[in-house]
Amino acid sequence: MNSYVRARVNGLPYDQHLSASFVEEGIQVDEQSVDSWSPPVQGTVYGTLLNDREALKAMENELDNPPYKKPPEAPVLYIKPINTFSSHKADIVLPDGEDQLQIGASVGLVIGKEATNIPLENAYDYIEGYTIVNDVSIPHKSVFRPAIKEKSRDGFCPIGPWVVPKGNIADPDQLELNLYINQEFKQRFSTRNLVRSIPELLSDVTEFMTLQEGDLLMVGCGARLPTVKEGETIRVECAELGVLENTVRRVRL
């Protein structure tokens, strides 16, 4: 199948379509004219905690005790503000006083139109497409209080390289992301393991808040998130979505 992906490239302030082929081996995109990348979304980016079965199970004992006392009954959300947005190939700056960062590979749902209180069966009608997100954090334990200081540093949310239109994804609930650090395999995250499937998550979130066109909702991250140090390169691969790659440095090159 021949089609396109939507991207922002070469410093231009508008979206462009890059020719793409969706074949059995995965996505193949014509990048010959690309010299630089920008984040392919401009709306609000929302993250979702504890939406992976293994991640939820890993916190089972803590969730049964104060301050939680029980597993969450609604999606646990947080915001990655615009200062965190970064792109494919951009450096991730390691803050002063820190020696490592935590990496959360996730699938991002890019919202195609205003979504309020949407029925479960119509959830996919509100998705424009899908992209890869690298949810970077300073390592921390609590999910009871918003980890603003740990999650909202400049450049802590690489997104991209592009948005794949939803029609080119045969089964969004079967997407698999493989995370490598310095070419060494570290983690696998699959949308098969979501506590709330993509339609369930969208329906539950829009029950209490409106998502706008251009917003991005991360479906969640896996358990036992890996850490990276200065000089290490993170590569998140998904056959259907492409590759998102970033390097950790003390100072952005």
Side-chain angles (χ1 to χ4, degrees), residues 44-57:
T44 303
V45 172
Y46 299 91
T48 307
L49 291 174
L50 302 178
N51 197 37
D52 175 85
R53 291 192 184 98
E54 290 185 20
L56 186 63
K57 186 173 179 58

Side-chain angles (χ1 to χ4, degrees), residues 170-186:
D171 189 350
D173 289 311
Q174 299 290 327
L175 294 174
E176 187 172 275
L177 276 62
N178 293 308
L179 191 155
Y180 299 84
I181 298 174
N182 288 349
Q183 300 182 341
E184 181 181 351
F185 174 77
K186 290 293 184 180

Side-chain angles (χ1 to χ4, degrees), residues 124-135:
Y124 286 117
D125 295 344
Y126 293 82
I127 297 176
E128 176 203 351
Y130 305 86
T131 190
I132 301 172
V133 185
N134 181 352
D135 185 7

Side-chain angles (χ1 to χ4, degrees), residues 156-167:
F156 267 24
C157 190
I159 307 167
W162 43 63
V163 175
V164 177
K166 65 180 178 183

